[in-house]
Amino acid sequence: MHPFSKRQRRILPGFGLSMGYTVFYLSAIVLVPLSTIVISTIGIEPERFLAAVSSPRVLASYRLSLSSAFFAAIFDAGAGFLTAWTLTRYRFPGRRFLDAFVDLPFALPTAVAGICFATLYSPATLPGQVLSRFGIELANTPAGIVVALIFIGFPFVVRTVQPVIAELETEIEEAAQSLGASRWQTFRKILFPHLFPALLTGVTLAFARSIGEYGSVIFIAGNLPFKTEIAPLMIMSKLDQFDYDGASAVAFVLLLISFIMLLVLNGVQRWQQKAYR
Amino acid sequence: MSIEIQNITKRFPGYTALDNISLKVATGELIALLGPSGCGKTTLLRIIAGLETADVGSIILENRDTTNLPARSKNVGFVFQHYALFRRLNVFDNVAFGLTVKPASERPSKQDIRDRVMHLLKLVQMDWAAKRYPSQLSGGQRQRVALARALAVNPKVLLLDEPFSALDAKVRQELRRWLRKLHDDIHVTSIFVTHDQEEALELADRIVVINKGKIEQEGTPQEVYDHPANSFVYNFLGNVNVFHGRVRNGKVVLGQPLPDERRELNGHEVKTGQAFIRPHDIGISKIRNGNDHPGVIRDIRLTGSQITLELESAGFDTPIEAEISRETWRNLELSKGEEVYITLDKARVFTGDFEI
Amino acid sequence: MQQRQNHTASPSRTPAKNDPLAVQAVLIGLTLLFFAGFIFMPLALVFSQALSKGWQLYIDAIREPVALEAVKLTLLTASIVVPINAVFGVTAAWAISKFSFKGKTLLVSLLDLPFAVSPVIAGLIFVLLLGSRTPFGSWLGDHGIKIIFATPGIVIATLFITFPFVARELIPLMESQGREEEEAAITLGAGGWRLFRMITLPNIGWGLMYGMVLCTARSIGEFGAVSVVSGHIRGMTNTIPLHVEILYSEYNYTASFAVASILVFLALVTIGVKTALEQRLEGSHNTRH
């Protein structure tokens, strides 16, 4: 024991109580339940685990979840950056209104978003018909899944990039211009590199969220085996057949992917913080 | 209420904030803890208040060991650098807070609380703002409310952490004088922390100079200014010229060592060190008188009531700064580029182990 | 909602040199196009579909007993979940923002775990933990307690899903406010409870409300996790989103959108309250210096 450890008391009250409760509640609601996935996966014989995880149908679902999340995140990078830019830098009527509605995908229940997109782009409604005349089919296709995920991921990009654009110092731009740079050069060489870490953080967030997304996707996806089944749906259908082991196995891999994303995100955020210090 | 700080040591990961500090403060004194930022002075103040715990040592308030008393029972008034007013309470409730949280048996009646708060607000000239919120006040006003709030509980001692550092120059000076007057009126034992030497010199009865967790010197403002104990204190208090200097045969010699002296150096007859002289202690004349150094005026600057001369002299690798009164300047009719004679008799040399 | 919602650009500052008007027009046009396609069209669709067969059918769909049961269960869930997670959020934020201790970074990342987990997995873990086929679940069943495929399961899954919202809002807010006010309060003799009630709680009021609004919105709208643990017993364990799904899969589109319009209405209220709170919240962050 440290000879003076008696002196190491906390000045403000309530540390023990608040810390104790935090750890207890975190364990009860999050850590213990999450560990069941690991525990029940360990309980499965390796061959059965591999069979469950590497069946062609499951593999196709992982591929679909990752690729559609990826394309949606890329689209969100553009749309989100554009929106953050115009909402922050330009003054136009309705700007505050639009700004508030950036959060709609957060606020709107995913199931509602799901049935909206499914109906909007079904062959029965006008937008769907117009798009199919141009050869674009969204209902029951991976493209439709991407559309739903674009909606879900959009606010993450905007809300991450927006504050950084707002804090851009006008002097930097003025300095660049006084040195003879054109507006486009200033943007490309000065502003964009400065905003890039934030953009990457936002895109990673959108991507991570999209991998596990369920409610907004299943309606427009049509859930055709090998074609439009996403990974969370595979878990769902295994559960419906009371195949708990299979569900755990599929979930275990998905969880692993999410944790890897979390680590990547951590790295990106640390880089972002460094960039803006 | 006297304060006795005994052998306080506080280590943080990587460095020692306070290294065996002992200090006595007499009842009714106003003490300044003066030092550069990061020297440990604020940590010491927070330890006295119980907002930090020392690794070793004790704090005695009026012969009672309060080292292990929790901050809420110490009855110490603390004024924070950034005021720390309660933003959701108005000025009145801020000042009344310490009284209203007393246990029912000790709590004054509502009317008494009211009277005491209004009395204090009048004392700090803030009675007109009782219903305002902190965000509606200027920095100086917030500071006065913070002071009233700390005084409301009749603290045994008052501790102020950089009380004026967040204010602009003019308000700072006003508030400084006002605080000195207030202290003369109410006589509560007070310690304040500052990195501003002027503030310490003007306000304090006694100054404690701290550096790197150790006390360098303590004494009245005059003592520490006129008789700095070491080179750090000399440097930290007031403007000063620093030269290479040495002591030869008990006499101070300034400037770079001359070639023939080098040998003596090796023979340990000469000690090198740093010499200090304040700009206003430098004598300037047009007539040579033995002990002085010839120099050239490189620049003349008007600094308020004084004139600052920048001088260059052979044997000194840095320019010498001298301050003379306007009157002297006029009498000597000095101009740029002119040759003068510089007297450095009042210089003091610190060689590490002794000084002259 | 992973990132702290740090709000909107200060409108007073205009960029050094505005982009050429043509560029502005094109970019604003593109933004509007995106909003039209992805935000406003879906919203408009909900109401047009809901009312496509007239007001009478709309009102009937909402007043149907099964729909009302779903509303009741949803509100019950939210009214249990939000207070519990709010208390947790305040407690966790107090421990994390007012004290320094080892492992703080780890604790903060653990708080975010539910955001990283797919809603379906969030449901699955409680089936694995408390379902009737598990030892613990069957023991509970023997004592007449049913959790999975019943209301408690929905509540627990929603607790998990909305777990981080309040804490996430409060931690940065309380960190920016520092601990000076609390320290001032204890030097003035205040004890723990008074200090919290008189100083801390008023200071974090808006942030707490903001977090609770987000928590409420999510607990009302959660679909994936609740879908796993509910077992779809009509009129028994259906929340509003689940009811919407059932109607939709029964090809009863009008009724489905009618019930969905309740959720859209709540989402719009959430956005409104959120926007209003954000403006007040800016004042709560420390603005010294």
Side-chain angles (χ1 to χ4, degrees), chain B residues 129-170:
Chain B
K131 291 272 172 269
R132 301 225 176 162
Y133 283 84
S135 60
Q136 298 167 301
L137 305 178
S138 72
Q141 293 166 342
R142 284 182 210 184
Q143 188 58 288
R144 285 194 275 199
V145 175
L147 200 60
R149 182 178 70 179
L151 291 173
V153 288
N154 269 327
K156 290 184 245 171
V157 293
L158 186 61
L159 307 172
L160 305 103
D161 184 11
E162 299 267 7
F164 310 115
S165 66
L167 304 169
D168 53 38
K170 192 150 167 54

Side-chain angles (χ1 to χ4, degrees), chain B residues 19 60 110 113 128 143 145 163 204 217 230 245 247 285 299 307 346 349:
Chain B
D19 189 2
I60 317 270
K110 272 211 158 126
I113 291 179
W128 54 274
Q143 188 58 288
V145 175
Q217 188 177 7
N230 53 38
V247 181
S285 84
D299 199 11
I307 303 290
K346 292 189 181 168
V349 178

Side-chain angles (χ1 to χ4, degrees), chain B residues 46 49 51 71-72 76 78 80-89 97-98 100-101 107 149-150 153, chain C residues 177 180-181 183-192 194 198-199 202-203 206 283-286 288-289:
Chain B
R46 289 172 63 86
L51 292 173
R72 62 175 292 207
V76 160
F78 199 98
F80 290 79
Q81 185 176 4
H82 297 282
Y83 329 124
L85 293 180
F86 306 131
R87 69 192 85 193
R88 300 281 172 196
L89 301 182
F97 184 87
T100 51
V101 298
R107 196 186 311 147
R149 182 178 70 179
V153 288
Chain C
Q177 289 178 344
E180 270 198 354
E181 282 182 49
E183 286 177 351
I186 56 169
T187 61
L188 292 168
R194 256 174 202 281
M198 292 180 70
I199 307 303
N203 280 354
W206 294 120
S284 300
H285 279 270
N286 229 357
R288 83 159 66 130
H289 302 309

